[in-house]
Amino acid sequence: MIQVADVVGSSLWYQAALGFVSGHGGDEFEMLFAGEPYATPVLLQLHRWEAHEHGFLGSPDLPVGNGSSLWFEVADRAEFDAMWNRAESRAEVLSRPEWNPLAHHHEFALRDADGYVVAVHTPFSPESGG
């Protein structure tokens, strides 16, 4: 779960850029799924800063996301390429798709509407260039 300034706007960003599916909706809290809500895994929850039922979530007065990033693994290279094609024109691109020889996967990175770094990667592949 990440804290955001605008739950609806952030939800729409993740839906448009990465194809996530809304399963809750609302201006204080959102649950985003990989596909059919509650039939597929929850990928991310969004929580508005000013919604105070959790007092330990941090403060909007401090920098957001510094030192943290969100990593999402896709099922295969085809899903990775489809997600990149969707995200490329809808998000600030931090790094384009490339093979990471240390992690043995393909990855790209974006910045979301609140400044969080969002990375997408393929599963681990022992083969060079996977």
Side-chain angles (χ1 to χ4, degrees), residues 98-107 124-125 128-129:
E98 62 186 2
W99 173 253
N100 180 331
L102 299 175
H104 296 275
H105 65 218
H106 289 87
E107 64 187 41
F124 172 85
S125 174
S128 178

Side-chain angles (χ1 to χ4, degrees), residues 72-104:
F72 298 99
E73 180 177 83
V74 296
D76 55 34
R77 184 60 194 260
E79 187 178 354
F80 176 84
D81 290 341
M83 193 170 281
W84 167 251
N85 290 334
R86 177 185 197 105
E88 180 181 20
S89 65
R90 294 177 168 95
E92 177 187 348
V93 174
L94 300 176
S95 68
R96 300 180 65 77
E98 62 186 2
W99 173 253
N100 180 331
L102 299 175
H104 296 275

